[in-house]
C-alpha cells in the first residue's frame, strides 16, 4: 500500500493518520479537510469557546510541528466532491483528483437547519467560526432562542445564561432527551434549566426562523435577538452519492468499519455494526471518533488481522454546575434504575437495561471509581439481575 487518503481533518481523521504512521506506514498520506484550520477539538466550542474562557488558539489538537512530523500531504480548505471506487480516486472541489490504495472516510456531519425569512441569520454550532460568531452576540441585555434541548442545545443554553443572556429553550418533546436518558433523568435536566433562569418550553414546534425570532407552528412569534438552531445533524455523505457505497443514516459499514474493499468509515459519518451490542449504530461523540479512527487505520494496514470495532460508547456533557457522563448504548433501553445517589440531589448513577443485560450507565456527580465499576458491567454485558439486584432504589 503506497497511497492512503483520509477525507475529513477532524478528530477521527487525525487519529487515523497518526495511527498509520505509528504503526509503520511510510507511504504517501493525504489528509483532506474542508475547513482552513488544522484539526481542532469540537466539544469546547459549546462550552469554553462559547463562554469566552478559551480563545481559538486553545482548540487545535496538535501543534504545527506535530503535524509536520507526520509527513502529510495536507490539503485544507478544500471539499471532497466525488469518489470513483473503480478508479480509486477522490475528486476535490479545486479540480484535483487524488489517487489512493486505501481510503478512510471521516467527513462528519453538518447541522440541520430551519426554513424561514430569517434562516440565513440563524446560528448553528458545529465549527469554530460558528462558535465565535454566536459568542460575540451574547451577554447582558441580549435575548437568545435555542431551538432543540438536546445535549448541544442544553450546553449552549447553560453557557449563554451564565453570560447574562435571556435564554428561551424550545423543545418539541414533552421531556427533553427522554428517548436517550429516560423520562425521570430528562425531568431532572428540565429542573436544572428552570433553576438557572432558562425559559424552557416543551411540547412546542418551531415552524420557521423569522425576523425578530422564531415562529411556532401555532403562529406565535417567540422574540429574540439571536437564534441558535440545535435540532440535530445530517451525515456528510452527499459527495459519495453515485459512488457505489451504501448510504443511509451515514456511510454503512460492517463490524470492521469497512464500507468496501480498502475503504473504511470513521467518526460521526460512519454507521457500523457494533458486535458488543449486536446492533448498528452511528455515534456523534468525540471519544468514539478517535477510537474508530485508530481502529480503521489498523484494519486498513493489516487486512489479514482485522479486528471488529466493538467499543463501549462514551460521552459527556457539561451543563451549569454538573457534568453528565454516560457509557454504553442507552437508546432503545427498556428500563432505567437509579442504583446510587438520588436524582433530586443531582448526584446519582443510573443503570439502563436492554433485554436481560446492562446496556449502559449514566452518572452525575459520582466518583470515578463507581462509574468505572458500572462501565465494566456494560463492557461484559452483565446480566441485569446479577448487576442490579437489590441495589435498585427506584425506577426511572
Amino acid at each position: 500500500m503506497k497511497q492512503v487518503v483520509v477525507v475529513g481533518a477532524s478528530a477521527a481523521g487525525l487519529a487515523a493518520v497518526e495511527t498509520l504512521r505509528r504503526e509503520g506506514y511510510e507511504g504517501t498520506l493525504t489528509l483532506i479537510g474542508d475547513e482552513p484550520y488544522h484539526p481542532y477539538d469540537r466539544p469546547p466550542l459549546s462550552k469554553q469557546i462559547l463562554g469566552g474562557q478559551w480563545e481559538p488558539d486553545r482548540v487545535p489538537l496538535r501543534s504545527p510541528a506535530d503535524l509536520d512530523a507526520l509527513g502529510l500531504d495536507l490539503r485544507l480548505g478544500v471539499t471532497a466532491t466525488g469518489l470513483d471506487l473503480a478508479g480509486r480516486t477522490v475528486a476535490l472541489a479545486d479540480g484535483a483528483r487524488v489517487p489512493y490504495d486505501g481510503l478512510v472516510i471521516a467527513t462528519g456531519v453538518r447541522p440541520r437547519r430551519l426554513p424561514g425569512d430569517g434562516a440565513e441569520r440563524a446560528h448553528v454550532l458545529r465549527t469554530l467560526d460558528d462558535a465565535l460568531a454566536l459568542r460575540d452576540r451574547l451577554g447582558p441585555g441580549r435575548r437568545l432562542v435555542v431551538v432543540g434541548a438536546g445535549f448541544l442545545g442544553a450546553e449552549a443554553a447553560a453557557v449563554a445564561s451564565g453570560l447574562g443572556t435571556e435564554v428561551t429553550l424550545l423543545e418539541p418533546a414533552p421531556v427533553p432527551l427522554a428517548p436517550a436518558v429516560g423520562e425521570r433523568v430528562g425531568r431532572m435536566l428540565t429542573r436544572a434549566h428552570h433553576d438557572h433562569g432558562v425559559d424552557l418550553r416543551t411540547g412546542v414546534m418551531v415552524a420557521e426562523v423569522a425576523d425578530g425570532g422564531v415562529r411556532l407552528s401555532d403562529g406565535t412569534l417567540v422574540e429574540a435577538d439571536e437564534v441558535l438552531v440545535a435540532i440535530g445533524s445530517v451525515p456528510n455523505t452527499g459527495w459519495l452519492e453515485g459512488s457505489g457505497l451504501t448510504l443511509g443514516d451515514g456511510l454503512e459499514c460492517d463490524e470492521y468499519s469497512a464500507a468496501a474493499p480498502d475503504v473504511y468509515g470513521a467518526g460521526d459519518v460512519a454507521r457500523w455494526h457494533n458486535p458488543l451490542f449486536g446492533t448498528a449504530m452511528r455515534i456523534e461523540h468525540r471519544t468514539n471518533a478517535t477510537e474508530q479512527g485508530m481502529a480503521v487505520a489498523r484494519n486498513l494496514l493489516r487486512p489479514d488481522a482485522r479486528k471488529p470495532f466493538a467499543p463501549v460508547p462514551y460521552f459527556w456533557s457539561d451543563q451549569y454546575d454538573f457534568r453528565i457522563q454516560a457509557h454504553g448504548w442507552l437508546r432503545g433501553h427498556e428500563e432505567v434504575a437509579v442504583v446510587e445517589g438520588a436524582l433530586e440531589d443531582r448526584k446519582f448513577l443510573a443503570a439502563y437495561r436492554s433485554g436481560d443485560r446492562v446496556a449502559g450507565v449514566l452518572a452525575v456527580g459520582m466518583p470515578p471509581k463507581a462509574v468505572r465499576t458500572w462501565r465494566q458491567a456494560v463492557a461484559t454485558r452483565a446480566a441485569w439481575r446479577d448487576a442490579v439486584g437489590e441495589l435498585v432504589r427506584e425506577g426511572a
Side-chain angles (χ1 to χ4, degrees):
M1 189 170 292
K2 298 180 180 179
Q3 295 177 310
V4 174
V5 172
V6 178
V7 186
S10 196
L14 177 64
V17 297
E18 287 187 327
T19 303
L20 285 163
R21 290 303 192 209
R22 190 165 53 246
E23 297 287 326
Y25 175 70
E26 297 179 350
T28 302
L29 185 51
T30 302
L31 179 62
I32 300 164
D34 62 352
E35 291 186 70
Y37 307 115
H38 285 165
Y40 63 85
D41 209 12
R42 295 189 190 276
L45 300 183
S46 60
K47 307 174 184 70
Q48 294 91 341
I49 292 292
L50 189 62
Q53 294 92 352
W54 287 14
E55 292 304 319
D57 60 1
R58 291 283 300 273
V59 294
L61 290 166
R62 299 292 182 269
S63 69
D66 290 336
L67 291 174
D68 288 343
L70 295 172
L72 300 174
D73 170 21
L74 188 58
R75 307 195 188 194
L76 298 177
V78 60
T79 303
T81 57
L83 172 63
D84 180 353
L85 275 181
R88 295 199 169 211
T89 58
V90 174
L92 304 183
D94 62 6
R97 300 187 71 84
V98 186
Y100 68 85
D101 298 315
L103 175 65
V104 176
I105 296 170
T107 44
V109 296
R110 64 186 183 279
R112 295 182 185 275
R113 296 180 181 266
L114 286 169
D117 294 338
E120 291 184 0
R121 295 186 296 278
H123 298 270
V124 292
L125 192 48
R126 174 66 183 174
T127 69
L128 177 59
D129 290 342
D130 292 337
L132 294 174
L134 180 57
R135 183 175 80 174
D136 290 344
R137 292 166 172 80
L138 300 178
R142 303 292 292 173
R143 299 171 300 172
L144 172 69
V145 164
V146 180
V147 185
F151 287 112
L152 179 63
E155 289 176 355
V159 169
S161 175
L163 294 173
T165 310
E166 181 183 323
V167 180
T168 301
L169 182 56
L170 305 176
E171 167 61 36
V175 179
L177 290 166
V181 301
E183 286 198 6
R184 293 191 64 235
V185 176
R187 287 196 290 271
M188 181 276 293
L189 298 174
T190 297
R191 289 193 296 273
H193 290 302
H194 290 314
D195 290 348
H196 287 84
V198 170
D199 180 10
L200 171 60
R201 306 181 193 180
T202 59
V204 296
M205 295 292 296
V206 175
E208 62 178 7
V209 181
D211 289 335
V214 299
R215 195 169 304 281
L216 305 184
S217 57
D218 64 3
T220 302
L221 178 68
V222 180
E223 296 183 351
D225 302 305
E226 307 295 335
V227 175
L228 172 62
V229 179
I231 56 174
S233 346
V234 179
N236 282 323
T237 58
W239 68 285
L240 298 171
E241 292 179 4
S243 66
L245 295 178
T246 303
L247 308 176
D249 176 28
L251 174 65
E252 299 288 344
C253 302
D254 64 14
E255 67 269 29
Y256 302 102
S257 299
D262 300 317
V263 178
Y264 289 82
D268 297 2
V269 74
R271 179 178 174 83
W272 90 103
H273 180 81
N274 186 333
L276 180 62
F277 295 87
T279 189
M281 54 181 66
R282 187 177 64 81
I283 297 177
E284 297 182 20
H285 297 305
R286 170 70 169 77
T287 302
N288 185 76
T290 298
E291 292 178 348
Q292 197 165 24
M294 296 169 65
V296 301
R298 296 188 181 108
N299 285 343
L300 182 62
L301 280 183
R302 300 181 179 86
D304 295 332
R306 295 191 305 169
K307 295 182 179 179
F309 182 55
V312 175
Y314 168 75
F315 73 85
W316 77 95
S317 177
D318 293 328
Q319 299 178 29
Y320 305 110
D321 55 352
F322 59 88
R323 166 168 285 194
I324 302 166
Q325 298 185 74
H327 296 269
W329 186 241
L330 277 56
R331 291 193 175 275
H333 64 264
E334 299 166 46
E335 181 180 355
V336 188
V338 175
V339 294
E340 294 188 40
L343 286 168
E344 55 268 24
D345 296 334
R346 292 178 196 153
K347 186 175 181 180
F348 65 92
L349 191 148
Y352 292 72
R353 176 181 67 82
S354 289
D356 61 352
R357 300 292 165 177
V358 178
V361 60
L362 182 145
V364 172
M366 299 302 292
K369 183 178 180 180
V371 180
R372 285 196 299 270
T373 298
W374 281 91
R375 182 199 179 281
Q376 183 63 19
V378 178
T380 58
R381 303 309 314 276
W384 179 260
R385 181 178 299 177
D386 295 339
V388 176
E390 296 302 319
L391 292 175
V392 177
R393 299 185 180 183
E394 55 183 324

